[in-house]
Amino acid sequence: MAESPAGRGGGEPGRVGAYGAGPGGSADGPAATTARLRLPYGIRESVPGEDRRDGPPDRTGGADNADGADEPGKSRGADPAQDPGPGEPDGRTGEAGPGGTAGSGPDGEPGGVPAPPGRTKRRRRKRGRRIAAVLTVLAAGGALAVAGLGIGDDADAGDGESAGLPPNTAKVTRQTLRDIQTADGALGYGTSATVTSRIAGTVTAVPESGKRISRGQRLYAVDDRPVTLLYGSLPAYRALKEGVEGEDVRQFERNLRELGYTGFTVDDEFTDLTADAVKEWQEDLGLTETGVVDLGRVVFTPAAIRVDGVNAAKGGAVQMGAQILTYTGTAKAATVELEPEHLRLVKKGREVTVVLPDDRRVPGRVASVDTVLEPATGQEEATTKIEAVIALSGAKAQRAAEGFSSASVDVEFVAGTRNNVLSVPVAALLAFTGGGFGVEVVSGTTSTYLPVTTGLFAEGRVEISGDGVTEGAIVGMPK
């Protein structure tokens, strides 16, 4: 195996067979290993920049000399029925020995390929055996397999097709390439959170699992007094009363105003006017009108919630810190779990596409990203995972997902984008023996190998650039 410089065009002249080794990395991607293939009998290496009008002049994969004798510097084609191919147990390597004769003995000593008996007349020129290779390309975080091609199948040279031209072609196109990475996801309502009691007493009311609760509604009750849900990102951590100042005061006053209570200014100071509004609110809830918001009487969540599960039983005793219930958001969301090296894909706010079980594609957005540490257990080592919640964007997407209570989905992340670049199918890329890559540009009945620099690999295509490579050019492809 030989290391090939990633994305570097114009290596040493010569490549491994026709369509014969795997590309490496790209100009802005990781390098990959390029396998050097052994040449079959009678096939020589092609040279970048040479014209191929009737095939290379010394390619003899299927034609014998008229007199059946070997000529200096050339290789005789081997009869597949009589002569084992490369890598078979007789030790032949398929590489040309001294004097240009293909093949060698088991110990590496020169050894020509004998002419098959009974073949002394010149046959019509035919194309040799097809040699297929597999090229493995590692680029942009994914693996791409490329089928390479050597000499064409047995076909008469006079059938209107030049013996040296590739069996298929494709055009160089100008387009936008997107490297899309897909992850498995679980459709639901996102990750759940837990509500713990800050009050000791007897649980007198709990909600049903699946119930949706919004601002100002009762979440649960202790000693027949309600605990109310309000909106905010800052958890309640102290009692709120006249003279207290802080961001938690502003958050509470904002909720009080949204519930329709007035007569105070929404700011970070709890005044006597705020206390008067609180007394009105307490009266409506059936609480003692103290003007003080006791710790534990309100729970703040970012928005309306859906009860995911209930931990406390009605009539049971509860202590401070006891779990009462778990909840999620009310909107459909997908949760994906990734390895830490894929953290770059899930930046908060990034737009993605979610493929639903019925193959409908809906827009999504990365709503949250968390690092989950899983401790070691028994023989299992501790692991670190990245958990991302993907919110489905818009009412249309929510309606599309409403029929699935829980299901597996695919989440597509755009890992990279290249706008307005030249590209060819990955299978058109050729690896040169000295390093670097190229394409075979076809013009009429001739073709020329041109070195190229590779860029992004995406959607089965590869970005290329180089002298002589233009939009609309025809390039060789394997069959």
Side-chain angles (χ1 to χ4, degrees):
M1 303 289 283
E3 286 282 333
S4 172
R8 188 178 297 279
E12 296 177 9
R15 67 181 175 87
V16 182
Y19 307 96
S26 62
D28 45 346
T33 301
T34 301
R36 173 163 183 163
L37 304 182
R38 289 180 175 178
L39 299 178
Y41 304 144
I43 299 178
R44 72 182 182 88
E45 295 181 351
S46 303
V47 179
E50 77 170 354
D51 289 341
R52 297 172 59 195
R53 289 180 170 79
D54 249 350
D58 57 352
R59 179 181 289 161
T60 58
D64 294 332
N65 296 328
D67 58 1
D70 292 333
E71 293 180 15
K74 292 191 177 181
S75 303
R76 177 178 302 278
D79 188 346
Q82 308 251 351
D83 194 17
E88 294 187 358
D90 67 348
R92 286 196 178 100
T93 65
E95 297 176 353
T101 303
S104 63
D107 297 326
E109 298 177 357
V113 180
R119 296 171 57 190
T120 58
K121 293 183 179 181
R122 178 182 296 275
R123 299 185 304 173
R124 294 179 63 187
R125 181 171 183 174
K126 295 187 177 182
R127 299 169 69 185
R129 298 171 59 192
R130 183 180 308 280
I131 308 299
V134 175
L135 316 183
T136 301
V137 183
L138 296 179
L144 303 175
V146 186
L149 186 73
I151 303 305
D153 215 337
D154 284 24
D156 290 340
D159 61 0
E161 179 184 5
S162 173
L165 294 180
N168 282 314
T169 59
K171 281 188 177 182
V172 177
T173 62
R174 186 175 294 279
Q175 65 184 109
T176 295
L177 288 180
R178 297 192 311 160
D179 178 19
I180 297 177
Q181 304 289 325
T182 302
D184 295 329
L187 184 64
Y189 294 89
T191 56
S192 63
T194 301
V195 172
T196 57
S197 179
R198 304 301 301 273
I199 303 171
T202 300
V203 177
T204 53
V206 290
E208 294 182 355
S209 181
K211 181 179 176 60
R212 298 191 179 195
I213 302 174
S214 57
R215 181 181 2 228
Q217 294 182 331
R218 184 184 68 183
L219 188 57
Y220 63 98
V222 176
D223 294 339
D224 204 26
R225 301 172 65 191
V227 174
T228 305
L229 181 72
L230 298 178
Y231 294 169
S233 58
L234 185 63
Y237 64 93
R238 61 178 175 174
L240 299 180
K241 56 187 178 180
E242 188 174 344
V244 171
E245 297 181 3
E247 189 58 35
D248 55 340
V249 173
R250 185 189 302 275
Q251 178 175 271
F252 174 77
E253 289 182 340
R254 189 182 297 118
N255 279 272
L256 206 56
R257 182 188 62 190
E258 292 296 323
L259 291 173
Y261 298 94
T262 59
F264 60 93
T265 301
V266 175
D267 54 18
D268 60 358
E269 184 178 359
F270 197 111
T271 65
D272 58 338
L273 297 177
T274 305
D276 290 341
V278 168
K279 291 176 182 179
E280 292 182 35
W281 173 62
Q282 290 173 328
E283 181 181 6
D284 293 338
L285 291 177
L287 298 172
T288 304
E289 301 168 28
T290 63
V292 176
V293 183
D294 294 327
L295 178 62
R297 285 299 164 190
V298 295
V299 172
F300 290 98
T301 62
I305 66 169
R306 168 188 168 274
V307 177
D308 192 47
V310 179
N311 304 94
K314 183 178 179 180
V318 62
Q319 302 297 322
M320 291 185 61
Q323 294 185 359
I324 302 296
L325 56 85
T326 58
Y327 67 91
T328 65
T330 59
K332 286 285 189 178
T335 303
V336 295
E337 191 175 81
L338 303 170
E339 297 297 330
E341 57 264 31
H342 297 138
L343 179 60
R344 63 186 179 88
L345 297 177
V346 289
K347 291 183 179 179
K348 188 174 180 179
R350 171 170 285 183
E351 294 182 353
V352 301
T353 298
V354 179
V355 184
L356 298 174
D358 58 4
D359 291 331
R360 281 186 289 178
R361 303 167 67 85
V362 297
R365 177 182 52 81
V366 178
S368 64
V369 181
D370 294 301
T371 300
V372 179
L373 301 177
E374 297 180 357
T377 55
Q379 300 297 322
E380 299 293 330
E381 295 183 356
T383 59
T384 302
K385 298 289 185 181
I386 302 299
E387 188 175 81
V389 175
I390 311 299
L392 303 190
S393 303
K396 186 176 180 180
Q398 288 293 325
R399 287 194 300 270
E402 194 61 36
F404 305 101
S405 57
S406 61
S408 296
V409 296
D410 289 333
V411 180
E412 296 178 347
F413 301 90
V414 178
T417 301
R418 294 285 289 168
N419 296 315
N420 196 32
V421 296
L422 296 178
S423 74
V424 295
V426 174
L429 200 62
L430 305 174
F432 294 149
T433 55
F437 306 102
V439 292
E440 182 179 4
V441 178
V442 179
S443 178
T445 59
T446 66
S447 67
T448 303
Y449 296 105
L450 296 179
V452 297
T453 298
T454 59
L456 180 66
F457 286 77
E459 303 173 278
R461 301 183 70 86
V462 56
E463 173 192 355
I464 62 170
S465 60
D467 293 340
V469 179
T470 58
E471 182 180 1
I474 305 299
V475 296
M477 288 276 292
K479 191 170 182 178

